[in-house]
Coordinates of all heavy atoms in Angstrom, one line a residue:
L18 N -22.0 9.6 75.8 CA -21.4 8.3 75.8 C -20.1 8.2 74.9 O -19.3 7.3 75.1 CB -22.4 7.2 75.4 CG -23.4 6.8 76.5 CD1 -24.5 6.0 75.9 CD2 -22.7 6.1 77.7
E19 N -20.0 9.2 74.0 CA -18.8 9.2 73.2 C -17.6 9.8 73.9 O -16.5 9.6 73.5 CB -19.1 10.1 71.9 CG -20.1 9.5 71.0 CD -20.4 10.4 69.8 OE1 -19.7 11.4 69.7 OE2 -21.2 10.0 68.9
V20 N -17.9 10.4 75.0 CA -16.8 11.1 75.8 C -16.7 10.4 77.2 O -15.5 10.2 77.6 CB -17.1 12.6 76.0 CG1 -16.0 13.2 76.8 CG2 -17.3 13.3 74.7
Y21 N -17.8 10.0 77.8 CA -17.8 9.5 79.2 C -18.3 8.0 79.2 O -18.9 7.6 78.2 CB -18.6 10.3 80.1 CG -18.2 11.8 80.1 CD1 -19.0 12.7 79.4 CD2 -17.1 12.2 80.8 CE1 -18.7 14.0 79.4 CE2 -16.8 13.6 80.8 CZ -17.6 14.5 80.1 OH -17.2 15.8 80.1
D22 N -18.0 7.3 80.2 CA -18.5 5.9 80.3 C -20.0 6.0 80.8 O -20.5 7.0 81.2 CB -17.7 5.1 81.3 CG -17.7 5.5 82.7 OD1 -18.5 6.5 83.0 OD2 -17.0 5.0 83.6
W23 N -20.6 4.8 80.6 CA -22.1 4.8 80.9 C -22.4 5.1 82.4 O -23.5 5.6 82.6 CB -22.7 3.4 80.5 CG -22.2 2.2 81.4 CD1 -21.1 1.5 81.1 CD2 -22.7 1.7 82.6 NE1 -20.9 0.5 82.1 CE2 -21.9 0.7 83.0 CE3 -23.8 2.1 83.3 CZ2 -22.2 -0.1 84.2 CZ3 -24.1 1.4 84.5 CH2 -23.3 0.3 84.9
R24 N -21.5 4.8 83.3 CA -21.8 5.0 84.7 C -21.9 6.5 84.9 O -22.8 7.0 85.6 CB -20.7 4.4 85.6 CG -20.6 2.9 85.5 CD -19.5 2.4 86.4 NE -19.3 0.9 86.2 CZ -20.1 0.0 86.8 NH1 -21.0 0.3 87.7 NH2 -19.8 -1.3 86.6
T25 N -20.9 7.3 84.4 CA -20.9 8.7 84.5 C -22.2 9.4 83.9 O -22.8 10.2 84.5 CB -19.7 9.3 83.9 OG1 -18.5 8.8 84.5 CG2 -19.6 10.8 84.1
V26 N -22.5 8.9 82.7 CA -23.7 9.5 82.0 C -25.0 9.2 82.8 O -25.8 10.1 83.0 CB -23.8 8.9 80.6 CG1 -25.1 9.3 79.9 CG2 -22.6 9.2 79.8
L27 N -25.1 8.0 83.4 CA -26.2 7.6 84.2 C -26.3 8.5 85.4 O -27.4 9.0 85.8 CB -26.2 6.2 84.6 CG -27.5 5.5 84.9 CD1 -28.5 5.5 83.8 CD2 -27.3 4.0 85.3
R28 N -25.2 8.8 86.0 CA -25.2 9.7 87.2 C -25.6 11.1 86.9 O -26.3 11.7 87.6 CB -23.8 9.6 87.9 CG -23.5 8.3 88.6 CD -22.0 8.2 88.9 NE -21.7 6.8 89.2 CZ -20.5 6.3 89.1 NH1 -19.4 7.1 88.8 NH2 -20.2 5.0 89.4
V29 N -25.1 11.6 85.8 CA -25.4 13.0 85.4 C -26.9 13.1 85.1 O -27.5 14.1 85.5 CB -24.6 13.4 84.1 CG1 -25.1 14.7 83.5 CG2 -23.1 13.5 84.5
I30 N -27.4 12.1 84.4 CA -28.9 12.1 84.1 C -29.7 12.0 85.4 O -30.7 12.8 85.5 CB -29.2 11.0 83.1 CG1 -28.6 11.2 81.8 CG2 -30.7 10.8 83.0 CD1 -28.8 10.1 80.8
G31 N -29.3 11.2 86.3 CA -30.0 11.1 87.6 C -29.9 12.3 88.4 O -31.0 12.7 88.9
V32 N -28.8 13.0 88.4 CA -28.7 14.3 89.1 C -29.6 15.3 88.5 O -30.3 16.1 89.2 CB -27.2 14.8 89.1 CG1 -27.2 16.2 89.6 CG2 -26.4 13.9 90.0
G33 N -29.6 15.3 87.1 CA -30.5 16.3 86.4 C -32.0 16.1 86.8 O -32.7 17.0 87.0
F34 N -32.4 14.8 86.8 CA -33.8 14.5 87.2 C -34.1 14.9 88.6 O -35.2 15.5 88.9 CB -34.1 13.1 87.0 CG -35.6 12.7 87.1 CD1 -36.4 13.0 86.0 CD2 -36.1 12.2 88.2 CE1 -37.8 12.7 86.1 CE2 -37.5 12.0 88.3 CZ -38.3 12.2 87.2
V35 N -33.2 14.7 89.5 CA -33.4 15.1 90.9 C -33.5 16.6 91.0 O -34.4 17.1 91.8 CB -32.2 14.6 91.8 CG1 -32.2 15.2 93.2 CG2 -32.3 13.1 92.0
V36 N -32.7 17.4 90.3 CA -32.8 18.8 90.3 C -34.2 19.3 89.8 O -34.8 20.2 90.4 CB -31.7 19.4 89.4 CG1 -32.0 20.9 89.2 CG2 -30.3 19.2 90.0
V37 N -34.7 18.6 88.8 CA -36.1 19.0 88.3 C -37.1 18.6 89.3 O -38.1 19.4 89.5 CB -36.4 18.3 87.0 CG1 -37.8 18.6 86.5 CG2 -35.4 18.8 85.9
L38 N -36.9 17.5 90.0 CA -37.9 17.1 91.1 C -37.9 18.2 92.2 O -38.9 18.5 92.7 CB -37.5 15.8 91.6 CG -38.1 14.5 90.9 CD1 -37.4 13.3 91.4 CD2 -39.6 14.4 91.1
L39 N -36.7 18.7 92.5 CA -36.6 19.7 93.6 C -37.3 21.0 93.2 O -37.9 21.7 94.0 CB -35.2 20.0 93.9 CG -34.4 18.8 94.6 CD1 -32.9 19.1 94.8 CD2 -35.1 18.5 96.0
F40 N -37.2 21.3 91.9 CA -37.9 22.5 91.3 C -39.4 22.3 91.4 O -40.1 23.2 91.8 CB -37.4 22.7 89.9 CG -38.1 23.9 89.2 CD1 -37.7 25.2 89.4 CD2 -39.2 23.7 88.4 CE1 -38.3 26.3 88.8 CE2 -39.9 24.8 87.8 CZ -39.4 26.1 88.0
A41 N -39.8 21.1 91.0 CA -41.2 20.8 91.1 C -41.7 20.8 92.6 O -42.9 21.3 92.8 CB -41.5 19.5 90.5
Y42 N -40.9 20.4 93.5 CA -41.2 20.4 94.9 C -41.6 21.8 95.4 O -42.5 22.0 96.2 CB -40.1 19.9 95.7 CG -40.3 19.9 97.2 CD1 -41.0 18.8 97.8 CD2 -39.9 20.9 98.0 CE1 -41.3 18.8 99.2 CE2 -40.2 20.9 99.4 CZ -40.8 19.9 100.0 OH -41.1 19.9 101.3
K43 N -40.9 22.8 94.8 CA -41.1 24.2 95.2 C -42.4 24.8 94.6 O -43.1 25.5 95.2 CB -39.9 25.0 94.8 CG -40.0 26.5 95.3 CD -38.7 27.3 95.0 CE -38.9 28.7 95.5 NZ -37.6 29.5 95.2
Y44 N -42.6 24.4 93.3 CA -43.7 25.1 92.6 C -44.9 24.3 92.3 O -46.0 24.9 92.0 CB -43.1 25.7 91.3 CG -42.1 26.8 91.5 CD1 -40.8 26.6 91.2 CD2 -42.5 28.0 92.0 CE1 -39.8 27.6 91.4 CE2 -41.6 29.0 92.2 CZ -40.2 28.8 91.9 OH -39.3 29.8 92.1
L45 N -44.9 23.0 92.3 CA -46.0 22.2 92.0 C -46.9 22.0 93.2 O -46.5 21.6 94.3 CB -45.6 20.8 91.5 CG -46.7 19.9 91.0 CD1 -47.4 20.5 89.8 CD2 -46.2 18.5 90.6
S46 N -48.2 22.4 93.0 CA -49.1 22.3 94.2 C -50.5 22.2 93.6 O -50.8 22.5 92.4 CB -49.0 23.6 95.0 OG -49.4 24.8 94.3
Q47 N -51.5 21.8 94.5 CA -52.9 21.8 94.1 C -53.5 23.1 94.5 O -53.2 23.7 95.5 CB -53.5 20.6 94.8 CG -53.0 19.2 94.3 CD -53.8 18.1 95.0 OE1 -54.7 18.3 95.7 NE2 -53.3 16.9 94.7
P48 N -54.5 23.5 93.7 CA -55.3 24.7 94.1 C -56.1 24.6 95.4 O -56.5 23.5 95.7 CB -56.2 24.9 92.9 CG -56.4 23.6 92.3 CD -55.1 22.8 92.6
S49 N -56.2 25.6 96.1 CA -57.1 25.6 97.2 C -58.5 25.5 96.8 O -58.9 26.0 95.7 CB -56.9 26.8 98.1 OG -57.3 28.0 97.4
L50 N -59.4 24.9 97.6 CA -60.8 24.7 97.3 C -61.5 26.1 97.2 O -62.5 26.2 96.5 CB -61.5 23.8 98.3 CG -61.0 22.4 98.3 CD1 -61.8 21.6 99.4 CD2 -61.2 21.7 97.0
S51 N -60.9 27.1 97.7 CA -61.6 28.4 97.7 C -61.4 29.1 96.3 O -62.1 30.0 96.0 CB -61.0 29.3 98.7 OG -59.6 29.5 98.5
C52 N -60.5 28.5 95.5 CA -60.3 29.2 94.2 C -61.5 29.1 93.3 O -61.8 30.0 92.6 CB -59.1 28.5 93.5 SG -57.5 28.9 94.2
G53 N -62.2 27.9 93.3 CA -63.3 27.7 92.5 C -63.0 27.6 91.0 O -61.9 27.8 90.6
Q54 N -64.0 27.4 90.2 CA -63.8 27.3 88.8 C -64.6 28.4 88.2 O -65.7 28.4 87.8 CB -64.4 25.9 88.3 CG -64.1 25.7 86.8 CD -64.6 24.4 86.3 OE1 -64.8 23.5 87.1 NE2 -64.8 24.3 85.0
D55 N -63.9 29.6 88.1 CA -64.6 30.8 87.6 C -64.6 30.9 86.1 O -64.1 30.0 85.4 CB -64.0 32.0 88.3 CG -62.5 32.2 87.9 OD1 -62.1 31.7 86.9 OD2 -61.8 32.8 88.7
A56 N -65.2 32.0 85.6 CA -65.3 32.1 84.2 C -64.0 32.2 83.5 O -63.9 31.9 82.3 CB -66.1 33.4 83.9
G57 N -62.9 32.6 84.2 CA -61.6 32.7 83.6 C -60.9 31.4 83.5 O -59.8 31.3 83.0
G58 N -61.5 30.4 84.1 CA -60.9 29.0 84.0 C -59.9 28.8 85.1 O -59.1 27.9 84.9

């Protein structure tokens, strides 16, 4: 905010969060029921 106006900063932060959401979309998932809860946790 010392360099840019609040609108620009808000957009940059929003884009950053969307990028993280897209990363999570690729890798975040629930385990299959066949995995089970074995001794290794």
